[in-house]
């Protein structure tokens, strides 16, 4: 069966991913509630300027903590459905935090994977094991019926069309994430963007930990504990993102 939708898609059960496409209405309720749905976009880890420390703290840990703050804010704002491309880097980082939050938070959250083309996850040469691990925790896998160099952009289009908030990490003004961010701005979507163009963002965040003596979270569990019950930390995260916003 296929969606009666502008982008024809196929949904596969996790156990029958290589078999017949099956459509389960109860697993696709995000289509009915776009105002409660958010999606992710971001670069691969090797495309981000993370190869150094910031005043002694790992830049990757700082960035992941900011991303976790965006997820926490989305949940507090009422978002319950999250569309994730499960690509290496930002997508998998977000999935990691979401899965932990689903298991330990009080809200009922839904993680849906969106493949850019048929058998994308299974055919990956790098990061395949990690991707398939996260797929096991997704309620559904949506496979776009496109092939070719534009399949990733069409995947991003689909996620944005069915979301009201874009959560992204951007470093370059070109590429898929930049394309998706520009479209989100044009369509007046809600945006939570971590801009890596200005290194002062991570520097200011690192200075907070240096001044307070707090430990920078390094795992999904630590990031959840960092924000849970600490609204002042979430306010700091949002304040920094607004200060260095580029749109």
């Amino acid at each position: 069966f296929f969606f009666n939708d502008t982008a024809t898609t196929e949904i596969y059960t996790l156990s029958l991913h290589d078999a017949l496409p099956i459509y389960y209405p109860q697993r696709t309720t995000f289509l009915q509630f776009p105002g409660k749905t958010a999606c992710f976009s971001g670069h691969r880890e090797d495309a981000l300027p993370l190869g150094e420390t910031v005043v002694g703290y790992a830049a990757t840990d700082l960035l992941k903590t900011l991303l976790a703050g965006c997820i926490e804010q989305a949940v507090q704002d009422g978002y319950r459905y999250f569309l994730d491309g499960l690509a290496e880097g930002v997508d998998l980082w977000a999935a990691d935090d979401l899965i932990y939050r689903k298991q330990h938070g009080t809200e009922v959250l839904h993680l849906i994977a969106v493949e850019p083309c048929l058998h994308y996850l299974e055919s990956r040469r790098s990061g395949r094991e990690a991707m398939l691990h996260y797929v096991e925790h997704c309620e559904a896998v949506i496979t776009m019926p496109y092939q070719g160099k534009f399949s990733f952009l069409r995947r991003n289009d689909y996620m944005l069309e069915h979301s009201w908030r874009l959560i992204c990490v951007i470093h370059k003004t070109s590429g898929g994430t930049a394309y998706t961010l520009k479209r989100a701005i044009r369509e007046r979507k809600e945006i939570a963007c971590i801009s890596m163009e200005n290194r002062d963002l991570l520097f200011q965040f690192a200075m907070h930990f240096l001044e307070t003596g707090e430990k920078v979270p390094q795992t999904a569990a630590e990031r959840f504990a960092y924000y849970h019950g600490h609204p002042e930390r979430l306010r700091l995260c949002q304040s920094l993102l607004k200060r260095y916003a580029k749109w």
Side-chain angles (χ1 to χ4, degrees), residues 190-241:
E190 291 185 354
I191 299 171
C193 181
I194 303 173
S195 175
M196 298 293 291
E197 294 181 61
N198 191 329
R199 293 286 289 176
D200 284 348
L201 171 60
L202 291 188
F203 175 76
Q204 292 297 331
F205 198 38
M207 287 302 297
H208 162 75
F209 288 100
L210 186 64
E211 293 170 358
T212 61
E214 298 172 353
K215 177 185 176 183
V216 177
Q218 297 179 332
T219 66
E222 292 177 354
R223 289 187 289 272
F224 175 72
Y226 178 75
Y227 288 111
H228 191 65
H230 295 280
E232 74 284 357
R233 294 174 178 173
L234 194 56
R235 286 195 295 268
L236 171 65
C237 173
Q238 299 305 305
S239 174
L240 287 173
L241 296 188

Side-chain angles (χ1 to χ4, degrees), residues 63-74:
L63 178 55
K64 287 183 178 181
T65 303
L66 287 173
L67 179 60
C70 292
I71 294 172
E72 179 65 28
Q73 186 64 60

Side-chain angles (χ1 to χ4, degrees), residues 81-106:
Y81 301 89
F82 295 86
L83 305 181
D84 194 311
L86 293 186
E88 294 176 84
V90 173
D91 285 355
L92 292 187
W93 296 346
D96 192 36
D97 282 347
L98 268 171
I99 290 168
Y100 186 88
R101 209 188 186 299
K102 281 180 58 179
Q103 296 171 339
H104 297 86
T106 58

